[in-house]
Each structure stands twice: as C-alpha cells, then as structure tokens.
C-alpha cells in the first residue's frame, strides 16, 4: 500500500499564496511522474500540474505563470507553489504519482486530497 501524505491546504484571500506538499517517501516504487489535480464543486477532476522524474513540468493553462511545481526526488516529495490565487482555484487538490513496476505493469496512486479555498 502506497501512502501519499498531503499538507498545505487552507483558506486564503484572493491574491494570496499557498504551498502544497505531498510526501511519497514511504513508497519504494520508481516514480515517473508526480502531479497535482483538483476537483471543484460540481466539476470533474482536472490536471493542475505535473512533473516527470527528469524535471519536465506541465501546467494547465489556467495556472500558468501563477503556480509552480517542484520535487525533492531524493525524498519523493512534490510541491505546488500557488501564487496570485483566485476564487476559481477553490477545489480539493489531489496528489498523484505514476510509474512502472514492470514492463507490463504500471501504477497510479492518489492522495486523500487537501482543501484549498480562496475567498474574494
């Protein structure tokens, strides 16, 4: 069982900042991609940002220039720095890790989610 421990969510005013962390250090799996998704009320879960083990980052258009994803590969930890937050960023944010166990077996695990609320 892979455990992802998320932290850093909370309530912030518009224009403020938050930093999310996801600790996958208890995982012994070889992680290829770490990322953050979010799901707002009544919406589908969507990708916010992801980063490969090689450091290549990908962002949703809605957060480009405001959010930054980074990792501490030595500790299997991924961070999401969120600046200039907007009310529309309000959602539950989920950490995700993906990789390959063998040539034919992949894995895809989710954290429990952390609430981010941005007030106007």
């Amino acid at each position: 069982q892979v455990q992802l421990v998320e932290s850093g969510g909370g309530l912030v005013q518009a224009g403020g900042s938050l930093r999310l962390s996801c600790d996958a250090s208890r995982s012994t799996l070889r992680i290829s991609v770490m990322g953050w998704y979010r799901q707002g009320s009544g919406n589908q879960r969507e990708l916010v940002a992801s980063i490969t083990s090689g450091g290549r980052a990908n962002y949703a258009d809605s957060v480009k220039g405001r959010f930054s994803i980074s990792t501490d590969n030595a500790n299997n930890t991924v961070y999401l720095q969120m600046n200039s937050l907007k009310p529309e960023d309000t959602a539950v944010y989920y950490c995700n890790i993906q990789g390959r166990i063998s040539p034919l077996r992949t894995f895809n695990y989710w954290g429990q989610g952390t609430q981010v609320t941005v007030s106007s």
Side-chain angles (χ1 to χ4, degrees):
Q1 183 71 22
V2 175
Q3 183 178 12
L4 303 180
V5 180
E6 300 167 347
S7 61
L11 173 64
V12 65
Q13 289 188 333
S17 298
L18 285 173
R19 189 189 194 210
L20 305 183
S21 299
C22 175
D23 181 0
S25 60
R26 296 184 182 182
S27 169
T28 59
L29 298 172
R30 185 172 181 179
I31 300 171
S32 298
V33 182
M34 304 183 80
W36 290 93
Y37 290 70
R38 67 186 181 188
Q39 187 167 15
S41 178
N43 296 329
Q44 290 185 332
R45 191 173 297 187
E46 62 177 0
L47 173 69
V48 177
S50 64
I51 187 166
T52 68
S53 57
R56 184 172 60 194
N58 178 50
Y59 297 93
D61 288 343
S62 60
V63 307
K64 283 180 180 177
R66 300 188 297 121
F67 292 10
S68 178
I69 190 169
S70 61
T71 60
D72 179 353
N73 287 329
N75 294 312
N76 273 353
T77 303
V78 61
Y79 306 95
L80 185 68
Q81 178 67 43
M82 304 185 293
N83 300 326
S84 302
L85 282 161
K86 305 175 180 180
E88 51 263 44
D89 294 318
T90 295
V92 178
Y93 284 69
Y94 297 91
C95 176
N96 174 264
I97 62 171
Q98 300 175 34
R100 189 172 295 277
I101 300 171
S102 69
L104 296 179
R105 289 185 61 195
T106 60
F107 64 85
N108 185 5
Y109 293 109
W110 296 91
Q112 79 283 0
T114 184
Q115 178 70 46
V116 171
T117 302
V118 184
S119 63
S120 57

